[in-house]
Amino acid sequence: MAKRVLSFVVNGRLREEAVGDSTLLLDLLREQLGLTGTKRGCDGGECGACTVIVDGRPQLSCLTLAARCDGAHVETVEALAAGGRMSALQAAFHEKLGTQCGFCTPGMIMAAEALLRGNPAPDEATIREALGGNLCRCTGYVKIIEAVQAAAAAGGGR
Amino acid sequence: MERLPAFELKRPTSLAQAIEWLAATPEARAIAGGTDLVPNLRDGIGAPPVLVDLSRVPGFDAYEIRTAGARIGAGVTLARLASDAGVAAALPAVSAAAASIAGPGHRSVATVGGNLCVDTRCVYYNQSEWWRKSNGYCLKHLGDTCHVAPTGTRCHAAYQGDLAPALIACGASVELAGPRGTRTIALEDLYRDDGLAHLALEPGELVVAVAVPAQPRGAMSAYRKARARGAIDFPLAGVAVRLAVDDGRIAAIDVALTGTNSRPFRLAGTAAWVGRAVDDGLLAELGKAVQKQVSPMRTTVTQSNWRRQVASVEAQRLVRDLAKVAS
Ligand SMILES: Cc1cc2nc3c(=O)[nH]c(=O)nc-3n(C[C@H](O)[C@H](O)[C@H](O)COP(=O)(O)OP(=O)(O)OC[C@H]3O[C@@H](n4cnc5c(N)ncnc54)[C@H](O)[C@@H]3O)c2cc1C
Ligand code: SF4
Ligand code: FES
Ligand code: FES
């Protein structure tokens, strides 16, 4: 397989990684970098569990060629907690019961994080729209929406 | 899904280089946002030795919207198109169609060119390799029979892109560039009613931009789609309408459809309605015309006759609602 050296920033740290041209960002993150917070759900663009933030935009890592992230800033759920403390958004998911089995949670949180950075006070319709690509089989979504609203009220994603 | 097949990723930094690389390897595929191509490749549909990445082609994401019309580069993302206030004001059907495509994580990278060139779809095709192998391959990939219409010789996979009908209704044309030079054609002529080969592109030819003319005075447009999953889904039937009403009479009417045939298409015969009022009689004729011209086959889990009726009702609702706003 054709390989290349990819130079990109992951969670604030500059990295150089040898990747195959047909390696997916999801596999690079989970298998090569050990960042298993990003989940493999449907593994085909349908569920949002693998959502990460690339250059400020929510992106599905299961559909993203790693080689195209050369020079990019990639953020995963591991980037959010600082000094052992959860971010406002993470804390809100915890407190509002926006997470049950937790499998969808990293993708939900990254999609919500991308939203709140651009729009710190979204209305409910906007939150639903931003999370429209993320499936959850446990919560029924209501608690997830409430968690994002609570995080926004508490001053955004941070 | 499976891992991607091995390929070489080429990252051209000029349009000429992209075309050259595509033309050099007949099996090579262009990749824009990859939100249609990657799932298909992961399902084992095709194994191109080379992917040509369009994301670094200069000017591909250029974008201009003026009163004299719009020119939208093939590399413009759907997120950008859907959030642009100028597009929402001048071309509301296009804006609504862009916002309705897939989810935010797709739209942030999915492009106008990729959406126009999205592959046709079918329940027997958009399945994993083992599913298709167990069921028996079909005409569209590796097999020799169509499971939807086994006695026929063609593939009926449906074109289910959302932007095309909205742009066709607004009179768009596409700029193409290939090994033999550049040409501009009406957007509806980019498509053929053949699920196997629905794009009238020559080998190595790319969509470079979409050009939309200034809209007729007083014209309004809108888009509606019926889908199984409300938050993210392809249209089972999608309709775009552009309507201009003058003094209670139709001054111009354009209707275009997606999801029901192997190509998006402009409804024929609408010119006959110019000068008429939008009343029950006209809406009945419109509904009949749509029912007659769509040809949904059993390519989705939803019944084809339902898709036919929904296409017709969506068209009637759009025309009625636009006429109401106009008066
Ligand atoms: C869960 C899910 C839901 C979806 N829902 C919808 C939906 O509701 N509506 C919809 O329309 N689509 C939908 N899609 C499909 C896809 O996301 C969109 O059609 C998207 O716009 C494709 O654009 P892209 O840039 O990602 O294309 P790519 O995947 O990069 O390319 C698609 C095809 O076009 C070709 N191509 C790309 N750019 C060019 C060009 N400039 N010139 C010539 N050929 C080109 C590629 O070679 C490929 O064959 C969905 C996909 C998923 C996974
Ligand atoms: S319409 Fe027939 S040939 Fe085409 S994809 Fe479906 S089963 Fe295959
Ligand atoms: S794992 Fe990527 S969308 Fe489901
Ligand atoms: S918490 Fe279990 S899938 Fe969402």
Side-chain angles (χ1 to χ4, degrees):
Chain A
M1 195 201 287
K3 274 210 170 198
R4 65 183 71 217
V5 176
L6 172 67
S7 162
F8 69 149
V9 177
V10 184
N11 296 340
R13 188 177 138 202
L14 182 66
R15 289 187 176 258
E16 294 208 337
E17 293 289 327
V19 296
D21 280 6
S22 39
T23 301
L24 293 161
L25 179 60
L26 176 62
D27 292 314
L28 171 66
L29 292 172
R30 288 182 56 88
E31 315 295 337
Q32 206 163 321
L33 304 183
L35 293 169
T36 52
T38 303
K39 296 296 178 242
R40 186 191 306 279
C42 69
D43 206 12
E46 307 266 346
C47 77
C50 67
T51 305
V52 296
I53 296 180
V54 180
D55 292 334
R57 304 178 303 187
Q59 210 164 308
L60 303 173
S61 59
C62 73
L63 298 185
T64 304
L65 300 184
R68 293 177 78 184
C69 296
D70 195 38
H73 281 253
V74 177
E75 295 165 80
T76 69
V77 71
E78 284 92 344
L80 297 186
R85 289 177 65 90
M86 289 190 282
S87 72
L89 192 55
Q90 287 174 308
F93 267 72
H94 178 64
E95 281 152 23
K96 294 283 168 188
L97 304 179
T99 180
Q100 285 184 25
C101 81
F103 200 82
C104 72
T105 311
M108 286 286 181
I109 286 184
M110 294 315 277
E113 173 78 16
L115 166 70
L116 293 182
R117 283 189 199 171
N119 180 356
D123 59 18
E124 187 184 329
T126 309
I127 296 172
R128 285 180 178 273
E129 171 63 34
L131 300 182
N134 294 71
L135 288 180
C136 173
R137 297 293 78 174
C138 304
T139 63
Y141 301 102
V142 173
K143 296 286 167 192
I144 290 176
I145 310 286
E146 287 175 7
V148 179
Q149 287 170 324
R158 299 269 137 190
Chain B
M1 279 191 165
E2 300 302 314
R3 281 172 193 277
L4 280 166
F7 52 73
E8 187 188 347
L9 182 71
K10 299 269 198 193
R11 308 197 75 193
T13 49
S14 76
L15 182 58
Q17 206 173 43
I19 292 167
E20 198 182 308
W21 275 329
L22 281 170
T25 312
E27 307 267 272
R29 297 286 296 274
I31 177 165
T35 60
D36 181 50
L37 185 66
V38 172
N40 281 349
L41 292 179
R42 296 194 67 188
D43 271 343
I45 296 169
V50 170
L51 290 195
V52 178
D53 177 2
L54 303 180
S55 66
R56 288 183 171 176
V57 172
F60 234 54
D61 60 353
Y63 188 73
E64 239 180 305
I65 172 136
R66 304 203 177 144
T67 39
R71 184 179 179 279
I72 305 163
V76 169
T77 65
L78 299 180
R80 193 163 151 215
L81 194 63
S83 64
D84 189 289
V87 176
L91 307 166
V94 175
S95 180
S100 79
I101 296 166
H106 307 86
R107 292 194 295 271
S108 63
V109 293
T111 64
V112 169
N115 189 257
L116 292 178
C117 297
V118 70
D119 198 1
T120 51
R121 303 181 62 79
C122 173
V123 272
Y124 294 100
Y125 178 68
N126 299 103
Q127 299 289 355
S128 64
E129 170 65 21
W130 63 259
W131 192 102
R132 282 177 291 115
K133 191 173 174 194
S134 320
N135 185 63
Y137 293 117
C138 76
L139 208 57
K140 189 159 158 72
H141 187 64
L142 301 178
D144 53 14
T145 353
C146 168
H147 302 308
V148 167
T151 52
T153 53
R154 60 158 287 198
C155 164
H156 299 274
Y159 178 86
Q160 295 181 282
D162 284 296
L163 276 186
L167 285 164
I168 289 172
C170 294
S173 53
V174 270
E175 299 172 26
L176 310 176
R180 298 203 296 168
T182 58
R183 56 184 179 130
T184 298
I185 58 172
L187 177 57
E188 55 258 53
D189 296 337
L190 178 64
Y191 302 102
R192 300 192 284 224
D193 205 15
D194 176 354
L196 275 188
H198 68 297
L199 294 174
L201 287 176
E202 289 173 10
E205 204 171 33
L206 288 170
V207 173
V208 175
V210 183
V212 193
Q215 298 299 292
R217 187 189 293 271
M220 290 172 308
S221 67
Y223 179 69
R224 292 177 75 115
K225 72 195 260 195
R227 47 184 164 179
R229 181 175 160 196
I232 329 188
D233 222 337
F234 289 91
L236 293 164
V239 188
V241 171
R242 183 179 72 177
L243 182 74
V245 177
D246 190 15
D247 208 13
R249 307 268 150 191
I250 295 176
I253 177 165
D254 297 270
V255 180
L257 295 113
T258 188
T260 56
N261 294 46
S262 292
R263 61 166 181 178
F265 69 99
R266 173 187 288 279
L267 191 75
T270 58
W273 298 325
V274 171
R276 301 256 312 262
V278 175
D279 53 20
D280 289 351
L282 181 113
L283 291 176
E285 283 174 47
L286 167 70
K288 255 192 211 140
V290 171
Q291 295 222 12
K292 208 164 160 194
Q293 293 180 40
V294 295
S295 52
M297 300 287 285
R298 291 187 48 193
T299 56
T300 70
V301 287
T302 311
Q303 279 185 10
S304 7
N305 194 42
W306 184 86
R307 281 157 67 211
R308 180 188 301 279
Q309 291 181 16
V310 157
S312 162
V313 170
E314 296 276 35
Q316 291 172 322
R317 284 183 184 157
L318 280 172
V319 170
R320 196 190 52 209
D321 292 353
L322 285 175
K324 229 181 251 164
V325 178
S327 62

